[in-house]
Amino acid sequence: MGSKYTKRFTEEFKRDAIALVDSSGKTVTAVARDLGISSESLRGWYRRAKADRGEGAPGELTTAEREELRRLRRQNIEQTKTIEVLRKAAVFFAKESDR
């Protein structure tokens, strides 16, 4: 069973680890073992870095695209809530004007 504590690594550490995978010729698992980190973490960082360089799988989003999608989804939720409030207000005022 995994630990409840999640280590946070700096962007510099992540960049250096990815560069080590690229330059050493070792596998992601071997580099992760040498650094004492989870191979899944390093694999995710490496996959994301490849996508950001345009070398990812077809349809894979870059970090910038992922951030924009997250922002647009939040904006969509807010606009949906606003529309619902306005719809309820329109119904309320329509009933009030009928009296």
Side-chain angles (χ1 to χ4, degrees):
M1 183 182 279
S3 170
K4 291 182 183 180
Y5 174 74
T6 302
K7 284 185 181 178
R8 299 284 180 194
F9 297 99
T10 64
E11 290 302 315
E12 181 182 12
F13 179 83
K14 292 176 184 180
R15 278 192 306 271
D16 291 345
I18 292 164
L20 191 58
V21 171
D22 286 334
S23 66
S24 70
K26 293 182 180 180
T27 64
V28 171
T29 305
V31 172
R33 189 179 322 111
D34 291 346
L35 295 174
I37 61 175
S38 163
S39 60
E40 289 305 311
S41 294
L42 182 54
R43 190 169 285 112
W45 302 340
Y46 189 72
R47 189 176 298 127
R48 206 169 303 123
K50 282 181 66 173
D52 288 347
R53 292 189 305 241
E55 302 169 5
E60 190 171 6
L61 299 177
T62 65
T63 301
E65 291 169 332
R66 201 174 299 113
E67 282 298 317
E68 181 181 16
L69 181 59
R70 193 174 297 127
R71 181 186 61 78
L72 290 172
R73 284 180 174 163
R74 278 194 308 266
Q75 182 180 357
N76 188 21
I77 289 169
E78 286 299 316
Q79 288 176 344
T80 301
K81 290 177 183 178
T82 301
I83 289 168
E84 184 62 23
V85 167
L86 292 172
R87 186 189 65 76
K88 288 179 180 180
V91 169
F92 173 79
F93 288 117
K95 287 180 183 177
E96 286 294 313
S97 67
D98 288 343
R99 290 185 184 179

